[in-house]
């Protein structure tokens, strides 16, 4: 299966959701983005509902954030800044993801929380009188989103706010996106790696009268995932990239080049990138310590390297991989093993090794696979990439891809 696509890719969900929180605290901010991702729409609706409540146009203080971990974490911290009793619905998938760190941060800020179930719904109840402390400690070992959530909601407090960072060396680096956005709106802060100090609102008040705009380019994790299809014969042109983006997944472009991707940028349009059908070259190692969202599609490419070049491919993965929408490490290991690949996992050093076996080619041509998507949009993308290489695959919940990439299947269908 191959396709031709020329056009835009939806804006970075990671950046848009951060920018939406900033705009909620700084209404003069202008945002330019393109997104129908469910996570973005859910956050837009939650902020709109909050504003209606604040303006006494609604008495409903229950919010539905869907299944988005980003939406949930950022919006919970945003709500906690405002005195009131707030209720956030948690989907079954969201309730299974790590959120204890969030509750501990809220506790440090003297915000009371309660997890309860009402009629099969899981609710996070937030009882807040506003943040009563000007400091908190955040552990980044499971996710950098907890730090980003605090940073976003601390931009215009009356005094300085200090965040102590634990295990930042284990972070996938997404807090850099947040800090870059703070730079764009002229928030003053001091970053000492293990300590970040946000300056008081007086610095921000000087610029609130200015027109400040944030233009969000294509989501790089989505761009990389689509470009992977060039190795199975597709031709792709993307017209809204931002090559200076702080997204860690931009690093994936370097790996694709090393894998042999044939691409070029338009000299007359810095936002345009085109790629054509390419032969997949083998890499000995793919280091994804900072790129958990790229692991599923890159593990597919690694398997095809091992198969086509009769070699072993080593993948370095981050610990956070197991805390995403699903345990992506376990899920992709199961998929590749079922397709006949030999998998070795060094848990201590977080290294996965992939080799082909004598059965791999016959399995691809004869077998039909039924896989569990775990409602994980990144797994869906990897399954479609496998199908483009000739594997017969069926899986459930393809609609979950709309969580981050609303028109993914439209692109695949040309």
């Amino acid at each position: 299966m191959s396709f031709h696509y020329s056009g835009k890719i939806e804006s970075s969900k990671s950046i848009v959701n951060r920018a939406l929180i900033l705009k909620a605290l700084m209404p003069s901010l202008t945002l330019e983005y393109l997104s129908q991702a469910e996570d973005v729409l859910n956050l837009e609706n939650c902020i709109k509902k909050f504003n209606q409540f604040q303006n006494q146009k609604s008495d409903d203080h229950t919010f539905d954030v869907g299944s988005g971990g980003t939406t949930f974490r950022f919006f919970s911290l945003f709500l906690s800044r405002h005195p009131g009793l707030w209720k956030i619905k948690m989907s079954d998938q969201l309730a299974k993801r790590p959120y204890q760190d969030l509750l501990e941060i809220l506790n440090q800020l003297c915000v009371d929380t309660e997890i309860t179930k009402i009629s099969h719904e899981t609710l996070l109840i937030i009882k807040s009188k506003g943040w009563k402390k000007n400091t908190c400690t955040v552990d980044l070992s499971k996710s950098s989103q907890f730090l980003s959530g605090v940073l976003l909601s601390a931009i215009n407090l009356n005094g300085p706010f200090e965040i102590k960072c634990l295990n930042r060396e284990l972070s996938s680096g997404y807090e850099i996106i947040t800090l870059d956005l703070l730079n764009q709106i002229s928030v003053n802060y001091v970053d000492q790696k293990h300590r970040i100090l946000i300056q008081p609102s007086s610095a921000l008040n000087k610029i609130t009268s200015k027109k400040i705009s944030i233009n969000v380019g294509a989501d790089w994790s989505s761009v990389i995932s689509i470009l992977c299809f060039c190795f199975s014969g597709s031709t792709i042109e993307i017209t809204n990239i931002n090559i200076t983006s702080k997204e860690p997944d931009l690093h994936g472009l370097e790996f694709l080049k090393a894998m042999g991707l044939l691409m070029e940028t338009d000299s007359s349009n810095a936002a345009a990138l085109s790629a054509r059908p390419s032969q997949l070259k083998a890499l000995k190692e793919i280091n994804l310590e900072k790129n958990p969202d790229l692991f599923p599609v890159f593990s597919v490419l690694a398997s095809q390297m091992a198969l086509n070049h009769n070699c072993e491919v080593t993948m370095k993965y981050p610990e956070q991989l197991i805390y995403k929408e699903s345990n992506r490490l376990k899920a992709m290991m199961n998929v590749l093993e079922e397709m006949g690949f030999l998998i070795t996992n060094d848990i201590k050093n977080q290294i996965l090794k992939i080799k082909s076996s004598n059965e791999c080619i016959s399995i691809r041509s004869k077998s039909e696979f039924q896989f569990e998507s775990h409602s994980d949009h990144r797994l869906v993308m990897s399954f479609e990439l496998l199908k483009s290489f000739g594997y017969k695959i069926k899986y459930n919940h393809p609609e979950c891809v709309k969580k981050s990439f609303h028109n993914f299947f439209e692109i695949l269908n040309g």
Side-chain angles (χ1 to χ4, degrees):
M1 178 193 77
S2 61
F3 59 89
H4 171 76
Y5 177 72
S6 178
K8 295 182 178 181
I9 298 290
E10 290 188 73
S11 299
S12 167
K13 177 172 67 76
S14 298
I15 299 178
V16 171
N17 275 347
R18 285 163 168 80
L20 285 171
I21 295 294
L22 293 177
K23 181 171 175 58
L25 293 167
M26 184 181 169
S28 62
L29 182 63
T30 300
L31 305 183
E32 297 180 25
Y33 60 91
L34 170 69
S35 181
Q36 289 296 311
E38 288 182 355
D39 283 3
V40 170
L41 297 179
N42 285 332
L43 184 55
E44 288 175 338
N45 289 333
C46 286
I47 292 173
K48 180 180 179 181
K49 190 172 184 179
F50 172 81
N51 289 333
Q52 289 173 340
F53 182 86
Q54 292 293 91
N55 294 328
Q56 298 182 338
K57 295 181 179 180
S58 169
D59 59 359
D60 187 357
H61 53 190
T62 302
F63 302 89
D64 187 351
V65 296
S67 296
T70 304
T71 308
F72 172 63
R73 291 160 183 161
F74 291 178
F75 190 65
S76 297
L77 285 158
F78 167 80
L79 279 180
S80 73
R81 266 200 52 175
H82 300 85
L85 174 66
W86 314 109
K87 298 179 181 180
I88 299 180
K89 294 181 182 179
M90 300 171 65
S91 68
D92 291 341
Q93 184 184 28
L94 190 58
K96 293 175 183 177
R97 297 184 67 181
Y99 59 81
Q100 188 59 42
D101 287 5
L102 172 64
L103 303 186
E104 291 176 1
I105 291 169
L106 294 174
N107 181 60
Q108 292 178 59
L109 298 171
C110 300
V111 175
D112 293 331
T113 60
E114 178 186 348
I115 300 290
T116 187
K117 279 201 169 186
I118 301 176
S119 300
H120 307 292
E121 284 187 343
T122 301
L123 295 176
L124 168 62
I125 300 176
I126 299 174
K127 302 174 185 178
S128 178
K129 296 180 180 179
W131 292 1
K132 298 301 182 182
K133 298 284 186 179
N134 63 355
T135 183
C136 71
T137 299
V138 179
D139 189 343
L140 283 77
S141 59
K142 293 180 181 178
S143 174
S144 64
Q145 288 182 2
F146 301 112
L147 172 59
S148 286
V150 176
L151 285 168
L152 293 168
S153 288
I155 64 166
N156 57 357
L157 296 169
N158 292 327
F161 190 88
E162 179 185 42
I163 307 170
K164 298 173 184 176
C165 305
L166 301 180
N167 297 309
R168 192 171 178 185
E169 68 280 1
L170 300 178
S171 169
S172 56
Y174 275 78
E175 73 273 13
I176 301 302
I177 297 175
T178 306
L179 293 172
D180 180 60
L181 287 174
L182 297 190
N183 283 330
Q184 290 185 48
I185 63 173
S186 302
V187 171
N188 292 327
Y189 65 87
V190 177
D191 184 0
Q192 297 175 332
K193 298 301 180 184
H194 298 296
R195 171 184 177 269
I196 301 177
L197 182 67
I198 306 291
Q199 302 293 359
S201 59
S202 57
L204 189 61
N205 290 337
K206 295 177 182 178
I207 57 149
T208 53
S209 61
K210 296 181 181 179
K211 289 186 177 180
I212 302 175
S213 178
I214 295 176
N215 191 339
V216 187
D219 180 81
W220 272 105
S221 56
S222 298
V223 169
I224 299 299
S225 296
I226 284 295
L227 291 176
C228 289
F229 285 85
C230 290
F231 294 116
S232 54
S234 296
T235 303
I236 298 165
E237 181 184 25
I238 301 170
T239 58
N240 65 325
I241 65 164
N242 177 9
I243 206 67
T244 63
S245 171
K246 300 298 182 181
E247 291 179 86
D249 286 341
L250 173 58
H251 181 60
L253 207 59
E254 299 175 19
F255 281 117
L256 292 180
K257 290 178 182 178
M259 293 175 190
L261 182 67
L262 301 172
M263 60 182 168
E264 57 187 16
T265 54
D266 187 341
S267 58
S268 62
N269 180 6
L273 179 152
S274 60
R276 55 188 187 274
S278 308
Q279 292 295 317
L280 182 62
K281 297 180 181 179
L283 299 182
K284 290 184 178 180
E285 181 177 286
I286 304 173
N287 188 341
L288 298 179
E289 288 180 292
K290 304 295 184 183
N291 309 97
D293 286 345
L294 298 184
F295 180 84
V297 290
F298 273 19
S299 61
V300 169
L301 293 184
S303 72
Q304 299 311 292
M305 292 176 195
L307 180 62
N308 297 339
H309 298 279
N310 193 27
C311 63
E312 181 179 77
V313 181
T314 297
M315 298 187 71
K316 180 75 173 172
Y317 60 84
E319 180 183 352
Q320 292 92 339
L321 194 63
I322 66 174
Y323 300 120
K324 304 299 282 186
E325 282 79 351
S326 68
N327 183 335
R328 291 176 181 165
L329 175 64
K330 181 179 180 181
M332 290 310 300
M333 286 176 60
N334 290 342
V335 166
L336 296 180
E337 286 176 337
E338 192 167 338
M339 294 191 305
F341 290 93
L342 305 176
I343 307 297
T344 304
N345 182 26
D346 180 349
I347 298 176
K348 181 180 179 180
N349 295 305
Q350 295 165 209
I351 291 175
L352 191 73
K353 294 186 177 182
I354 302 172
K355 290 180 66 175
S356 63
S357 68
N358 295 331
E359 292 78 29
C360 282
I361 294 179
S362 61
I363 287 176
R364 179 169 64 179
S365 60
K366 297 179 181 179
S367 299
E368 182 173 284
F369 302 96
Q370 181 75 45
F371 291 137
E372 171 61 56
S373 75
H374 303 285
S375 295
D376 187 333
H377 51 140
R378 301 297 172 187
L379 294 185
V380 168
M381 294 179 195
S382 70
F383 295 159
E384 290 298 323
L385 183 58
L386 279 168
K387 287 168 67 174
S388 76
F389 284 112
Y391 291 92
K392 303 178 184 71
I393 293 176
K394 294 182 179 180
Y395 60 90
N396 57 355
H397 301 302
E399 72 283 353
C400 72
V401 79
K402 292 182 180 180
K403 182 176 186 293
S404 66
F405 198 164
H406 188 266
N407 63 335
F408 175 74
F409 284 109
E410 294 177 18
I411 291 175
L412 264 57
N413 292 327

